Amino acid sequence: MPAVALPQRRLANAIRALAMDAVQQANSGHPGAPMGMADIAEVLWRGIFKHNPTNPNWINRDRFVLSNGHGSMLQYALLHLTGYDLSIDDLKQFRQLHSRTPGHPEYGYTAGVETTTGPLGQGIANAVGFAIAEKTLAAQFNRDGFDVIDHYTYCFLGDGCLMEGISHEVCSLAGTLKLGKLVAFYDDNGISIDGEVEGWFTDNTTQRFEAYGWQVIGPIDGHDSEAIRAAIIEAHQDSTRPSMIICKTVIGCGSPNKQGKEECHGAPLGAAEIAATREAMAWEHGAFDIPADIYEAWDCRVKGEVLEKNWQAQFEAYQKAHPELAQELLRRLQGELPPAFALQAKAYIQEVANKGETIASRKASQNALNAFGPLLPELLGGSADLAGSNLTLWKGCHGIQENPAGNYVFYGVREFGMSAIMNGMALHGGFIPYGATFLIFMEYARNAVRMSALMKQRVIYVFTHDSIGLGEDGPTHQPIEQLASLRGTPNMSVWRPADAVESAVAWLSALQRKNGPTSLVFSRQNLPHLERDALQLDNISKGGYVLAEEQGVLEAIIIATGSEIDLALKAQKALTEQGKGVRVVSMPSVDLFMAQDAAYRQKVLPNEVRARVAVEASHADYWYKFVGLDGKVIGMTTFGESAPIKDLYQHFGITVDAIVEAVNTLI
């Protein structure tokens, strides 16, 4: 006999029970959102969501993003119930050290979690990135009769996500780009941490998203399964607009005394209220006890395997019809660079060294893109409305707003949105995203930049106008503390090249780095070419190397980066004329230098040479780790000023004479 269908409310109540039990056991967490969105999740995940729990990395799976990541027990319950590798014991370890169920969903910890969420608004931004990646990859690889890339991105979000400014940035762009396979569910429960949101959030969400160019469905009853299903079907029928389904829900739904109130948002319900909730839901099972019939009804493994098997048959036919395309798609999804790329890139670097141009490093960056871009179809670039200043457009760029199979996104003035969208693109797979703005405006994007590092994603940030050297735009545009902030971010690789050669090496390093993001920091002003021998050229990739040194007794070391290398070399020449033995060390990437073995670091910066001066037109304090408290740092300790570049360097004492004087005081 066929199995008797279970009531959908009872299946949703399994989510509610697991959420309140896990939060109670941890004595920490957010039961309100999982209990409020349980009915929406049940309809989506059991009946519509295309996934295979036995292979969470299936290429053509739908993507799910829990933007209101504080409701993480909703996602963990869904993964557990549908058959992912997440056991009931894992749920019992909710929010405990080294568990697979951390307080907010974290990419890489839990099978089925597509992105790390929690900083509100960034999840929906990641979802936009997923949707852009799906649409662009499909346009590049699908052929008649072979829709090998064809999936939806679903995103749950709450009031907090919509209040964060990043949601405006990314949802506006999503409408402009006509991302018809992006479906968002707004948990409209009217409650946030401080209480009823009507005191601080009275936006007309329907009109707002219609103005963005979205299809808006609802408001619907977020606890009515049929209404939810109908809304999703309606969303799928519009292929040219992203869809926002507004779901009226009750936070903490099922809790007799706390539902609809802020007190169930971010705290355990308490033993007495959990008992009352079990009674109200007619849930007769103990803590973490899910009956077999409910597990059976939730289990999506067989269905998922069939979905993937059917897709695999189509892909095998695609491989026969389009073998080169299929091979290229797999290469890109695996994150591997073309086999010949490394050699081609090194040949280009040698060519740049031979040419010996004096150019701004931002221009050298564009030249590198012109060389590497034709070799790397996976590059998906962009700039926050500064392409003409960041020089991120190369000769083969085509905007995706005009050509869905293109390779460039005109992000508009959306630094934060751009950065979080790139995280979604990288997580989706098939692309290496790069995006640009001025270094000072990294501050707008700071939290998304941090998330790239936390999630270990290959995202490349191009930050130009790197110092007071940008001149007349003044202190609002002159970065001071930003380099130190980036360098202090765990797992962020940072380059500040001194010339065109170091710029090309920086790009190669960023492209080859698989386990994290890279910030490429470039100058507005021209930088002179630096002569190097073959060993020095090879050592650039180690992050720090001896650039210049006179024969004789080594008495002092000058460490510099970027535009200040030229000052350091001129100071060394003056000191040599005084009979002093001085070495100049170029350190374009501190993190890569520190990753070298102790013997190499000692060779470049020998411990016995304590007379050290660091020079960088940025925050001075960072460099004391290399010069020691008895060394000297020539840099910035205040904000900048508006003036021509030569006047600024003189005013702030970043000069050849200042370097010479500093060295002489130490010898």
Side-chain angles (χ1 to χ4, degrees), residues 193-215:
I193 293 175
D194 285 348
E196 296 181 6
V197 300
E198 61 184 12
W200 48 87
F201 184 55
T202 57
D203 298 14
N204 188 318
T205 300
T206 297
Q207 291 181 358
R208 172 186 169 185
F209 276 81
E210 286 177 345
Y212 291 155
W214 287 54
Q215 173 184 212

Side-chain angles (χ1 to χ4, degrees), residues 418-427 431-435 448-449 451-453 455-462 492-493 510 513-520:
M418 172 184 72
S419 303
I421 285 171
M422 288 196 296
N423 286 339
M425 293 172 174
L427 287 160
F431 295 101
I432 300 176
Y434 70 88
V449 172
M451 294 298 287
S452 301
M455 293 191 286
K456 302 178 181 178
Q457 292 304 296
R458 179 160 50 180
V459 174
I460 300 174
Y461 294 98
V462 177
M492 172 62 72
S493 189
R513 186 171 192 240
K514 286 185 174 183
N515 62 347
T518 303
S519 293
L520 303 177

Side-chain angles (χ1 to χ4, degrees), residues 124 128 165-179 182 208-214 242 410-414 417 421:
I124 181 61
V128 172
I166 189 174
S167 70
H168 164 76
E169 295 184 26
V170 302
C171 292
S172 168
L173 185 60
T176 298
L177 295 178
K178 303 182 187 305
L179 302 179
L182 173 61
R208 172 186 169 185
F209 276 81
E210 286 177 345
Y212 291 155
W214 287 54
F410 290 90
Y411 284 102
V413 187
R414 298 180 174 99
I421 285 171

Side-chain angles (χ1 to χ4, degrees), residues 429-638:
F431 295 101
I432 300 176
Y434 70 88
T437 186
F438 291 171
L439 178 57
I440 190 68
F441 300 134
M442 181 276 292
E443 297 293 351
Y444 281 136
R446 180 75 183 98
N447 201 263
V449 172
R450 181 178 187 270
M451 294 298 287
S452 301
L454 181 64
M455 293 191 286
K456 302 178 181 178
Q457 292 304 296
R458 179 160 50 180
V459 174
I460 300 174
Y461 294 98
V462 177
F463 295 128
T464 69
H465 296 60
D466 66 349
S467 71
I468 59 170
L470 66 89
E472 292 86 346
D473 278 343
T476 61
H477 283 54
Q478 292 166 4
I480 303 297
E481 70 276 24
Q482 285 66 39
L483 269 169
S485 175
L486 287 168
R487 288 171 176 149
T489 303
N491 197 41
M492 172 62 72
S493 189
V494 183
W495 283 81
R496 187 178 184 239
D499 70 350
V501 179
E502 287 188 0
S503 299
V505 174
W507 261 108
L508 176 58
S509 175
L511 290 163
Q512 290 180 325
R513 186 171 192 240
K514 286 185 174 183
N515 62 347
T518 303
S519 293
L520 303 177
V521 181
F522 296 124
S523 72
R524 175 180 181 266
Q525 71 271 33
N526 286 343
L527 306 180
H529 171 70
L530 306 173
E531 293 296 334
R532 301 174 182 84
D533 60 26
L535 180 60
Q536 289 171 319
L537 186 63
D538 187 57
N539 283 341
I540 295 173
S541 62
K542 296 178 180 177
Y545 63 102
V546 178
L547 178 63
E549 183 174 52
E550 294 298 327
Q551 296 297 319
V553 178
L554 179 59
E555 298 177 84
I557 300 172
I558 303 171
I559 307 168
T561 77
S563 48
E564 288 69 67
I565 282 288
D566 184 51
L567 299 178
L569 291 171
K570 289 175 179 175
Q572 185 215 29
K573 182 179 180 182
L575 288 160
T576 300
E577 291 172 354
Q578 296 176 10
K580 308 291 173 57
V582 180
R583 167 182 293 180
V584 174
V585 171
S586 177
M587 197 174 291
S589 179
V590 175
D591 57 280
L592 280 177
F593 177 73
M594 293 305 295
Q596 305 306 309
D597 60 47
Y600 179 79
R601 299 199 308 271
Q602 165 68 10
K603 188 175 180 180
V604 175
L605 298 176
N607 291 332
E608 58 270 20
V609 182
R610 304 304 300 166
R612 299 183 183 185
V613 176
V615 189
E616 187 174 63
S618 185
H619 203 293
D621 284 358
Y622 178 83
W623 288 100
Y624 284 105
K625 66 189 288 182
F626 289 104
V627 304
L629 295 178
D630 52 347
K632 300 284 186 181
V633 180
I634 295 174
M636 298 295 295
T637 58
T638 68

Side-chain angles (χ1 to χ4, degrees), residues 258-316:
K258 295 189 176 183
Q259 66 180 9
K261 301 175 182 177
E262 65 270 19
E263 58 192 287
C264 71
H265 170 88
L269 297 182
E273 186 63 16
I274 286 177
T277 302
R278 277 187 155 77
E279 183 177 354
M281 296 193 308
W283 188 262
E284 300 173 353
H285 318 289
F288 298 102
D289 181 12
I290 304 295
D293 61 341
I294 288 184
Y295 272 128
E296 183 180 356
W298 267 104
D299 194 340
C300 292
R301 286 174 292 187
V302 172
K303 182 173 69 174
E305 288 172 359
V306 170
L307 286 169
E308 182 173 358
K309 184 178 179 180
N310 291 340
W311 176 86
Q312 187 62 42
Q314 183 191 36
F315 187 74
E316 288 172 3

Side-chain angles (χ1 to χ4, degrees), residues 8 54 401 512:
Q8 289 183 269
T54 59
Q401 79 282 6
Q512 290 180 325

